[in-house]
Amino acid sequence: MQLNTKSDELTEDNCGLLIVDIQGNLARQVHDSELCITTTEKLIRCCTALSLPVIVLEQNPQGLGDTIPQLKQHLHAFPLIEKYHFSGFAETALKSELSKSKVKNWLVAGIEAHVCVYQTVMDMTAAGYQVHLVTDCVSSRKQADRNLAINNMLNAGVRLTSFEMLVFRLMKTCHHPAFKTVLNILK
């Protein structure tokens, strides 16, 4: 019997993190907002400890406000892209940053799942990127909209993961140099 040799294994060298529009008052209005925000903060800190590239999107920040301070404090070293299309992928600046990173696997977290996250993810998938939606870091104001968006993305070939599942998958072993740092973030 021959095993499937096609690998979709995520590694620190082949993936990055895209944060979509966790900004202003809207960030506190989505379903389970505190859990989503706290988990996203841990995700950002772990991705930083693992040296993954990170890109941050902000939808019309003059109207909606900046990325919330709880997250922004961990994002100063990363590109921040203002966008006006609901799909971040419609913005030339995001396409440029994605291309510069030379990464084809993207972890995606953000709000709202059924609008900006959905449209960005669908466009990235259509362009050949492999998207891994970090489901506990994605929300919408209505749970039904979140669920519908996740189901539609799954049916379109987007991979689903959770924050902890993803972080341990990237490290692969307790001997990983960042293991203790990540463990402290998880606590």
Side-chain angles (χ1 to χ4, degrees), residues 22-41:
I22 305 179
Q23 49 186 122
N25 291 330
L26 184 59
R28 305 277 180 210
Q29 294 174 10
V30 298
H31 181 76
D32 278 341
S33 66
E34 287 310 312
L35 181 61
C36 180
I37 290 166
T38 300
T39 306
T40 302
E41 180 182 16

Side-chain angles (χ1 to χ4, degrees), residues 36 107-108 131-132 174 185:
C36 180
L107 317 169
V108 176
V131 176
H132 301 259
C174 64
I185 294 168

Side-chain angles (χ1 to χ4, degrees), residues 144-161:
D145 286 334
R146 177 188 180 274
N147 293 344
L148 179 61
I150 290 172
N151 286 334
N152 284 352
M153 287 184 270
L154 176 63
N155 290 334
V158 173
R159 306 268 165 80
L160 303 183
T161 190

Side-chain angles (χ1 to χ4, degrees), residues 92-164:
T92 305
L94 178 57
K95 289 178 187 173
S96 175
E97 286 296 331
L98 292 172
S99 180
K100 275 196 273 183
S101 75
K102 298 186 183 350
V103 169
K104 283 302 220 180
N105 291 287
W106 284 92
L107 317 169
V108 176
I111 62 173
E112 284 197 79
H114 66 294
V115 183
C116 294
V117 172
Y118 175 77
Q119 290 185 35
T120 301
V121 163
M122 296 304 287
D123 287 349
M124 288 176 68
T125 300
Y129 290 95
Q130 181 64 60
V131 176
H132 301 259
L133 189 70
V134 187
T135 58
D136 46 353
C137 297
V138 172
S139 194
S140 291
R141 285 168 290 145
K142 295 179 187 172
Q143 182 68 9
D145 286 334
R146 177 188 180 274
N147 293 344
L148 179 61
I150 290 172
N151 286 334
N152 284 352
M153 287 184 270
L154 176 63
N155 290 334
V158 173
R159 306 268 165 80
L160 303 183
T161 190
S162 72
F163 159 62
E164 285 198 21

Side-chain angles (χ1 to χ4, degrees), residues 44-82:
I44 292 165
R45 292 176 62 205
C46 287
C47 287
T48 300
L50 296 169
S51 300
L52 271 68
V54 177
I55 301 172
V56 183
L57 298 177
E58 286 185 347
Q59 175 70 31
N60 184 20
Q62 295 79 15
L64 294 177
D66 293 335
T67 298
I68 60 171
Q70 186 175 344
L71 302 183
K72 195 167 191 159
Q73 67 179 327
H74 305 291
L75 296 169
H76 293 293
F78 304 112
L80 172 75
I81 299 169
E82 288 186 16

